[in-house]
Amino acid sequence: MWPSRKRIYAGLVVSIVALIVGFGLIQLSILPVPWTNDHGQVTVYGDDGTEKLTVEVEVADTWEQRYTGLSDHDSLEPGTGMLFVHGSEGDRTYVMRDMDFDIDIIFIDSDREITAIHHARAPEPGEDGEDLRYSGRAQWVLEVPRGTANDSALEEGDTVEIEYE
């Protein structure tokens, strides 16, 4: 015997609602995008198209990963970093909570252009890293070893190529 139309419609409605909720949680970056990798590569180009920097990155694309960030690392090797992925562009503030080393924080907008570069220091003993705040407008935030931005002559307006999908 065939299932009733009510059961079929109810099943369809439940499926559609589950898809919408799942998509919304991914857009809010509460759930990770299921088809992305945990690692990627970021390349920065100057106005003339010259490559300034390429780094291999760990990808932080969930709320928990972004909250922890690099605080569970002892250091970053040259040529490496962490890319924080947000569902959309917005005003972002990053803090140096539980950090053991200095970093450069690079804010990248939805057009994949650098909007701000900060040279962030690690908190001193007894200092709350929550008070060390760095802000910018971004959809992506790249953290690299301190001095990388200056050594690579990165500037606001530089173009960024992001590969992690």
Side-chain angles (χ1 to χ4, degrees):
M1 179 170 215
W2 291 93
S4 71
R5 286 186 178 178
K6 284 184 179 181
R7 283 185 139 169
I8 292 171
Y9 289 134
L12 284 173
V13 168
V14 168
S15 297
I16 291 170
V17 168
L19 285 171
I20 291 170
V21 168
F23 181 75
L25 292 174
I26 289 170
Q27 288 299 315
L28 293 171
S29 298
I30 295 169
L31 291 178
V33 179
W35 51 85
T36 62
N37 296 323
D38 291 336
H39 291 83
Q41 182 173 301
V42 175
T43 305
V44 181
Y45 298 94
D47 289 340
D48 61 358
T50 303
E51 182 180 319
K52 292 184 168 186
L53 173 70
T54 296
V55 292
E56 298 297 319
V57 294
E58 292 178 57
V59 177
D61 60 358
T62 66
W63 182 89
E64 182 179 357
Q65 291 169 335
R66 287 191 305 269
Y67 183 84
T68 302
L70 292 169
S71 66
D72 63 352
H73 290 60
D74 293 328
S75 64
L76 276 178
E77 295 297 320
T80 67
M82 182 170 277
L83 180 68
F84 297 81
V85 179
H86 297 275
S88 62
E89 181 177 320
D91 293 324
R92 311 276 178 216
T93 299
Y94 277 64
V95 298
M96 296 296 286
R97 174 187 328 101
D98 298 324
M99 287 292 292
D100 292 329
F101 55 96
D102 301 338
I103 58 174
D104 288 339
I105 304 174
I106 302 162
F107 292 83
I108 305 163
D109 67 14
S110 60
D111 292 330
R112 298 180 187 230
E113 289 187 5
I114 295 176
T115 60
I117 300 170
H118 296 283
H119 310 289
R121 67 173 179 82
E124 296 175 8
E127 186 177 24
D128 183 3
E130 293 281 347
D131 295 336
L132 300 173
R133 306 174 75 76
Y134 302 91
S135 298
R137 185 138 187 95
Q139 180 166 354
W140 297 276
V141 177
L142 175 63
E143 293 183 349
V144 292
R146 177 83 177 256
T148 300
N150 285 344
D151 293 345
S152 304
L154 301 186
E155 300 173 306
E156 291 181 12
D158 284 347
T159 303
V160 181
E161 182 177 295
I162 300 170
E163 297 178 23
Y164 65 92
E165 298 181 313

